[in-house]
Amino acid sequence: MSFTTLEENRLEEVCAVVDAYTAERREKILVHAAKIKDLEAQRLAALSASEKDRLTREIRDLSPFDPANFNPPFEHSHAPYLAGILIEDDDPRIGRKHFLFGKQGLMDSQSNAVIIDWRKAAISKLYYEYEEGEEYEETIVNRERTGRIEKKIAYGISGRKLQTIQTGTGTLVKQNGAWKEVGKTTTMTQKEAAGDYRMVDIVSLISPAQFELITRQHKGCLYLTGGAGSGKTTVALHRLSYLMYNFPESLRPERCLVVMFNRSLRDYVAQTSRELLTSKLPVDTFHSWADRALRSLGLPVKFSISAGRNLGSLKKKAGMHRALMEHAQRTDWGQGENPLQDLAGFYANAPLLEQHLGKNREVRELAETGKRMLQEGVDLAFDDAGVLLRLVQLRGGERRIPGVLNWYDHILIDEAQDLSLIELKCLEAANDSSHRSLTVCADERQKILDFVDARGFAHFQLDLNEQGVTSGQLTVSYRSTRQIMDLAARVSGRAVEHVMSSGPEPRFHAFQTQEEALAKLTSSIAALLAREPHSLTAVICRYKKDAEKVFAALKAIEGVRLQTSNMTFTPGVVVTNVHQVKGLEFSGVILWNPSGRSYPKTELGKNLLYVAITRASNRLAVYHHEALSPLFQQSFHLR
């Protein structure tokens, strides 16, 4: 029997076990429900009080044994497993054995493990930490096990059909009913095959370095860093999944929180968070979470886009948090008093603000805003949410306030380098102080918000160090090709990391006028969509107004969409701005007119251009009608 036939038969057998388990579970639930219903009918018909009491006790005693509670549904029948290993154990009672790993464990009717949950690290480490042909020596279920890994397999299954089989010797893909050997598959090829470009889980692709970080201790803080495409967010999500599975009493889904950089990134991970984690776990942006937390306190908060328009950078300075802490220490504020008045009093204290933020126009303007708030009340700016919430937390002391203070079992903070010190301290305080548990993902060279004081993140790091933070660095780039990463290194001055794939060189197209560039872009996009209807390409502009102008030239082409706020991840061409694509990835990227005006030779310019370039997985093209940013010409050097 051929290898592929053996694996297809294996899938059929596993699916049969899934169906048998599902049918047996359904039957048990129906039998239990019928028994409860019969007892309830008997209780209704009973004439004596003692008989009613007896039946009530019987119903109560039976209720905890509802099969629906202790026989969870198997939720991954469309793709029951994702990885497997064939081992030759030195113990003859085990011998040659094939293990399957999936996002959920499954037992057959004889209580044999058919699928092992990948989060059972004692066994799954054989898959993640060893290569084909290696000998293993591990303690599994308190027994020393030795043997050899004969084969590691990553399965691509969709709709109960085996589509790809990847081993150490290559990848087999089933096309038109026949198996063919192709190059190594990646997460992007998975997305292209599915026509869905949201984040995919990496259960079958986790590297030994990633597995070590995922299975780190759950107490304290883990700080994850690494370059673009190294998998920080994905590893952090898998780590949270691992922790919730192995420590269910300490990390309850409804008491965990995932905070993403913006709504696009939040939507990007939404599907993964539901399938890998649970629908009970909230995934949010900082401002949406802060707004929800404030409303849970019953505060009549109304935010306005126009309010405090010129004061956002002031409120995100590191000194603002120091001033806020001093305000809370100096002033008394009784429980039950209005926090909005407390905030107004803080803003109105010009000498305190000047002490920590300096004497300048913005400070004077904020103090005047505070006085107006005290006298008549004004709408709050969105940047006030973090300040107000942090003030409420400081007034709360050691109390536990649902959703606000000392509440969450674990908080995952993504792209932390672009949050202010006040926002970071808000999240830290929302974590249960009795068993601090945080995962913080950051890359300071991908900081793209110039109005957020970078010193705030540095202060936050020092605070974490004092609490005993452990660090992990991801050094392998899985997203972009070597050619794309070489260009990213040149513009950023960042060392080239180990890159997993290779591809075509980035292409540069220069034009005399904007009109000529747009005309060529239009014809190129039309040809691309006709040639690759299942790919997802981003035209990344520096500013929203540029994206709107480019889209106006392309909008007649079916499959092109403008997305400068929420993002959808179906195939086509997305015209967007650089701030919207943080953390996302695309089959190809067209970088629109990256001039020196758009990307100056500054730290922010470097970071923005680095982010834009590294969104591309396979193809990168640059269309420009102005002189390119001098960042493209700078020599590569290590910093």
Side-chain angles (χ1 to χ4, degrees):
M1 185 182 296
S2 70
F3 172 61
T4 54
T5 302
L6 179 67
E7 292 299 339
E8 287 179 318
N9 290 345
R10 190 191 312 279
L11 178 57
E12 287 185 13
E13 292 168 2
V14 171
C15 288
V17 175
V18 170
D19 292 340
Y21 173 83
T22 302
E24 183 180 356
R25 177 179 182 274
R26 186 185 304 115
E27 181 63 23
K28 288 180 178 179
I29 292 172
L30 290 174
V31 169
H32 179 84
K35 191 167 186 178
I36 294 291
K37 186 176 181 180
D38 180 58
L39 289 171
E40 288 174 341
Q42 291 181 48
R43 182 174 62 179
L44 187 62
L47 299 177
S48 68
S50 61
E51 181 67 3
K52 286 183 181 290
D53 289 343
R54 182 187 69 78
L55 291 165
T56 298
R57 287 194 301 273
E58 193 169 346
I59 292 171
R60 186 184 61 227
D61 292 342
L62 276 175
S63 294
F65 299 99
D66 185 349
N69 296 328
F70 57 84
N71 283 78
F74 190 78
E75 298 178 344
H76 305 284
S77 60
H78 63 292
Y81 54 91
L82 301 165
I85 53 170
L86 177 63
I87 68 168
E88 180 69 44
D89 197 90
D90 292 337
D91 187 337
R93 290 170 297 181
I94 298 175
R96 203 162 184 260
K97 191 172 182 63
H98 196 109
F99 291 105
L100 296 174
F101 301 101
K103 289 184 277 189
Q104 186 178 1
L106 178 68
M107 310 282 282
D108 64 15
S109 57
Q110 283 77 45
S111 298
N112 297 313
V114 176
I115 303 171
I116 299 169
D117 195 301
W118 73 271
R119 294 166 291 190
K120 289 191 172 182
I123 301 176
S124 64
K125 68 165 57 176
L126 295 177
Y127 177 83
Y128 293 119
E129 294 188 351
Y130 293 89
E131 297 298 331
E132 288 185 3
E134 275 194 273
E135 294 183 350
Y136 61 84
E137 183 177 346
E138 294 289 345
T139 301
I140 301 175
V141 195
N142 299 319
R143 296 191 63 177
E144 291 295 324
R145 296 292 186 193
T146 60
R148 191 174 71 90
I149 306 295
E150 286 197 10
K151 193 177 291 292
K152 287 178 58 175
I153 308 171
Y155 298 101
I157 302 172
S158 179
R160 296 189 165 201
K161 298 294 183 183
L162 191 56
Q163 296 180 332
T164 64
I165 307 173
Q166 183 173 316
T167 68
T169 57
T171 300
L172 296 168
V173 176
K174 194 167 189 179
Q175 297 175 338
N176 302 320
W179 286 96
K180 298 180 180 179
E181 190 166 352
V182 298
K184 188 174 181 180
T185 59
T186 64
T187 55
M188 183 53 66
T189 56
Q190 291 180 27
K191 293 178 181 184
E192 290 174 351
D196 189 335
Y197 287 82
R198 287 172 291 188
M199 182 177 287
V200 300
D201 66 68
I202 59 168
V203 168
S204 64
L205 304 173
I206 295 171
S207 69
Q210 292 172 332
F211 187 71
E212 190 276 326
L213 292 171
I214 288 169
T215 54
R216 284 268 180 100
Q217 63 183 26
H218 66 287
K219 293 183 179 179
C221 174
L222 174 65
Y223 172 56
L224 277 177
T225 188
S230 60
K232 296 184 296 297
T233 304
T234 312
V235 167
L237 289 169
H238 282 72
R239 177 175 188 253
L240 182 52
S241 176
Y242 170 84
L243 294 178
M244 289 195 303
Y245 177 83
N246 286 281
F247 307 99
E249 300 84 8
S250 302
L251 285 87
R252 296 157 287 186
E254 66 277 7
R255 290 284 192 94
C256 294
L257 174 68
V258 175
V259 178
M260 291 286 127
F261 172 66
N262 58 22
R263 287 180 293 176
S264 295
L265 192 52
R266 178 198 64 191
D267 296 343
Y268 185 57
V269 304
Q271 181 183 28
T272 298
S273 65
R274 285 195 299 270
E275 292 188 356
L276 184 65
L277 301 165
T278 170
S279 58
K280 295 180 182 178
L281 186 144
V283 180
D284 227 328
T285 63
F286 174 83
H287 284 102
S288 295
W289 167 73
D291 181 41
R292 190 173 68 253
L294 290 169
R295 293 184 187 282
S296 73
L297 297 169
L299 292 176
V301 182
K302 182 180 179 183
F303 294 108
S304 169
I305 295 177
S306 59
R309 183 182 293 275
N310 302 319
L311 301 176
S313 61
L314 181 68
K315 296 169 188 174
K316 293 183 182 291
K317 288 188 178 298
M320 183 63 74
H321 187 253
R322 295 193 296 270
L324 192 63
M325 291 184 66
E326 188 169 333
H327 168 78
Q329 292 166 357
R330 284 184 178 182
T331 58
D332 295 325
W333 199 260
Q335 189 173 348
E337 297 189 59
N338 189 348
L340 291 171
Q341 288 293 297
D342 194 8
L343 178 67
F346 167 61
Y347 283 163
N349 190 342
L352 177 63
L353 296 177
E354 289 174 347
Q355 177 186 343
H356 293 281
L357 298 164
K359 294 183 178 182
N360 53 60
R361 180 185 59 80
E362 289 82 8
V363 168
R364 291 192 297 272
E365 187 176 339
L366 183 59
E368 289 300 318
T369 299
K371 292 175 183 178
R372 290 198 303 274
M373 289 172 65
L374 285 170
Q375 296 169 0
E376 58 199 56
V378 296
D379 290 345
L380 297 184
F382 285 98
D383 296 313
D384 292 317
V387 184
L388 176 57
L389 183 58
R390 184 68 186 124
L391 184 54
V392 170
Q393 291 174 333
L394 290 170
R395 298 299 191 190
E398 298 301 316
R399 288 193 299 144
R400 186 185 301 274
I401 305 175
V404 175
L405 181 64
N406 289 322
W407 180 252
Y408 292 100
D409 296 335
H410 187 92
I411 298 180
L412 191 167
I413 309 172
D414 196 38
E415 305 290 358
Q417 75 280 348
D418 275 310
L419 289 175
S420 70
L421 180 58
I422 279 182
E423 292 164 343
L424 290 167
K425 298 301 284 187
C426 273
L427 291 167
E428 182 185 3
N431 187 212
D432 190 342
S433 60
S434 65
H435 59 276
R436 187 74 74 203
S437 182
L438 295 166
T439 301
V440 178
C441 302
D443 179 7
E444 293 179 81
R445 295 188 183 180
Q446 292 189 67
K447 184 182 184 302
I448 63 172
L449 298 182
D450 58 341
F451 54 86
V452 176
D453 186 356
R455 293 172 298 176
F457 182 62
H459 285 304
F460 181 67
Q461 285 180 293
L462 289 175
D463 290 345
L464 292 180
N465 288 333
E466 292 177 2
Q467 298 176 39
V469 65
T470 60
S471 299
Q473 184 169 14
L474 296 165
T475 59
V476 179
S477 178
Y478 294 94
R479 178 193 300 142
S480 303
T481 63
R482 160 67 61 179
Q483 290 77 5
I484 292 171
M485 292 305 296
D486 282 345
L487 178 62
R490 189 162 73 246
V491 303
S492 68
R494 181 178 196 146
V496 182
E497 299 171 344
H498 180 62
V499 182
M500 294 298 292
S501 60
S502 184
E505 291 288 343
R507 293 172 295 144
F508 289 78
H509 304 279
F511 302 94
Q512 294 298 316
T513 66
Q514 178 176 266
E515 291 71 22
E516 183 185 353
L518 286 172
K520 180 59 179 177
L521 179 65
T522 302
S523 61
S524 297
I525 292 294
L528 171 67
L529 288 171
R531 184 175 67 251
E532 300 179 18
H534 300 297
S535 66
L536 177 62
T537 299
V539 180
I540 300 178
C541 306
R542 172 64 179 89
Y543 301 103
K544 285 185 178 181
K545 64 178 184 296
D546 296 329
E548 291 166 355
K549 186 177 296 183
V550 170
F551 177 70
L554 301 176
K555 64 182 180 181
I557 305 174
E558 185 177 356
V560 177
R561 53 189 185 270
L562 174 68
Q563 294 184 302
T564 54
S565 54
N566 290 353
M567 194 79 66
T568 56
F569 302 99
T570 53
V573 172
V574 172
V575 183
T576 187
N577 59 298
V578 66
H579 282 94
Q580 290 302 316
V581 297
K582 185 72 169 294
L584 309 184
E585 64 180 16
F586 305 88
S587 304
V589 162
I590 297 174
L591 195 54
W592 175 256
N593 199 38
S595 64
R597 173 182 55 83
S598 299
Y599 300 94
K601 201 170 183 178
T602 62
E603 283 302 308
L604 179 65
K606 290 180 183 181
N607 293 350
L608 284 166
L609 192 53
Y610 177 82
V611 167
I613 289 171
T614 55
R615 298 313 95 193
S617 293
N618 303 313
R619 301 179 309 277
L620 176 69
V622 177
Y623 282 62
H624 66 101
H625 56 88
E626 296 181 62
L628 286 172
S629 167
L631 293 170
F632 284 103
Q633 278 76 46
Q634 70 179 13
S635 300
F636 170 72
H637 62 282
L638 297 179
R639 292 189 301 172

